[in-house]
Amino acid sequence: MPDLFARFFDTLYTMPLWVAAVWSLLENILIFAVCIAVGEWLIRRYANHAVTEPAPPLTLAEVLLAFSCVLLNAAVTIIGIALWRLELIHVDFGVNPLRILVDTVILFFAMDLLMYVFHRMAHHRLLYRLIHSTHHQYENPRPLTLFALNPFEVLGFGGLWLLLLMIYPANWLSIIIYLTLNIVFGLVGHLGVEPMPNNWIRLPMTRYISTSTFHAEHHQDGGYNFGFYTLIWDRLFGTLSPDYVADFEAARG
């Protein structure tokens, strides 16, 4: 298996950039399709645990925003590959389990903090209309809402990710694990239903992990819940919704 991945990355490093761009676009289209399919299944599966009212009918604007998001995510991937080829991004291709664990934890919490800061900045009155008000048009989220972002916001989050990789030479498998977690958390946050079990917010570890309720509250009231993967920064900086526990328990019924 390590040899297979080694050959894959060797091919990715040497193939023409336009070929890598095609593969990147196909990959992001596949991710989009899987998110929508899994998200719609989860909505049906947990229909009795609604966090928000059902999303209104789909609009052309929402579809176009999602389409542009997929294209820009593919562009960010290509920029990352180009930076890697220029040796501005360094990747560890070892298979040391401890290194993989440490790098995954560092990427997860570093991006959680960076995105919390970026998200709060995006709510500043000078930036809100320019980059973030677009996403807040959708108060009752659905899986597609994950991709309904202003292009400036997509590039902002993508830029943070590439900047972190330029600073920290992470393990290749940790990068893949983080990106997978990023998609999972993004999808869960835009379901409009709560799939997490009743005791999720009571257990010592999981109580700090984001839920669908957590992000849905932010869509309802943009003054709270700026985090993405955890509640840590919102608790630390006093931006956690005071209704979080009650809203979660109400959704779980």
Side-chain angles (χ1 to χ4, degrees), residues 13-36:
Y13 192 86
T14 56
M15 70 173 55
L17 204 56
W18 73 267
V19 177
V22 172
W23 279 106
S24 174
L25 179 59
L26 293 175
E27 173 197 22
N28 278 277
I29 291 173
L30 177 61
I31 290 171
F32 173 79
V34 170
C35 279
I36 300 303

Side-chain angles (χ1 to χ4, degrees), residues 62 136 197 229 235:
E62 193 174 357
H136 275 277
Y229 314 137
R235 288 187 181 275

Side-chain angles (χ1 to χ4, degrees), residues 33-47:
V34 170
C35 279
I36 300 303
V38 173
E40 292 299 328
W41 178 81
L42 287 170
I43 289 172
R44 292 193 296 272
R45 172 69 175 79
Y46 295 97

Side-chain angles (χ1 to χ4, degrees), residues 220-238:
Q220 299 291 319
D221 185 344
Y224 296 105
N225 301 6
F226 296 96
F228 284 82
Y229 314 137
T230 75
L231 280 63
I232 292 174
W233 314 114
D234 286 287
R235 288 187 181 275
L236 183 62
F237 297 114

Side-chain angles (χ1 to χ4, degrees), residues 5-200:
F5 282 112
R7 289 196 297 271
F8 169 77
F9 282 107
D10 284 341
T11 301
L12 184 62
Y13 192 86
T14 56
M15 70 173 55
L17 204 56
W18 73 267
V19 177
V22 172
W23 279 106
S24 174
L25 179 59
L26 293 175
E27 173 197 22
N28 278 277
I29 291 173
L30 177 61
I31 290 171
F32 173 79
V34 170
C35 279
I36 300 303
V38 173
E40 292 299 328
W41 178 81
L42 287 170
I43 289 172
R44 292 193 296 272
R45 172 69 175 79
Y46 295 97
N48 293 330
H49 300 290
V51 178
T52 66
E53 295 295 323
L58 197 63
T59 64
L60 178 60
E62 193 174 357
V63 173
L64 292 176
L65 283 171
F67 179 70
S68 70
C69 181
V70 171
L71 290 178
L72 290 173
N73 282 337
V76 170
T77 303
I78 291 302
I79 293 171
I81 292 173
L83 292 172
W84 172 46
R85 292 182 179 186
L86 292 170
E87 298 187 353
L88 295 174
I89 287 177
H90 296 277
V91 180
D92 171 50
F93 288 101
V95 290
N96 183 297
L98 181 59
R99 174 67 190 273
I100 293 169
L101 175 61
V102 170
D103 284 0
T104 301
V105 170
I106 289 174
L107 292 178
F108 182 83
F109 285 102
M111 281 302 295
D112 194 35
L113 175 58
L114 288 172
M115 292 197 297
Y116 173 88
V117 173
F118 179 79
H119 195 184
R120 285 203 69 176
M121 290 175 59
H123 274 267
H124 189 279
R125 61 185 180 83
L126 297 178
L127 296 175
Y128 183 74
R129 289 187 178 182
L130 178 64
I131 66 174
H132 195 52
S133 61
T134 303
H135 191 60
H136 275 277
Q137 294 176 17
Y138 309 101
E139 293 183 353
N140 300 320
R142 59 171 146 242
L144 190 71
T145 310
L146 170 60
F147 301 89
L149 298 168
N150 185 293
F152 288 114
E153 190 165 14
V154 178
L155 294 175
F157 285 126
L160 285 177
W161 169 238
L162 296 179
L163 178 63
L164 178 59
L165 291 181
M166 292 174 69
I167 295 171
Y168 186 79
N171 181 272
W172 67 274
L173 187 54
S174 299
I175 292 173
I176 293 174
I177 293 172
Y178 164 76
L179 291 173
T180 302
L181 289 173
N182 179 59
I183 295 168
V184 170
F185 275 92
L187 177 60
V188 169
H190 293 89
L191 289 176
V193 297
E194 186 53 76
M196 301 307 180
N198 294 339
N199 61 350
W200 183 266

Side-chain angles (χ1 to χ4, degrees), residues 241-253:
S241 171
D243 300 322
Y244 174 60
V245 173
D247 286 345
F248 181 90
E249 291 177 342
R252 287 303 306 173

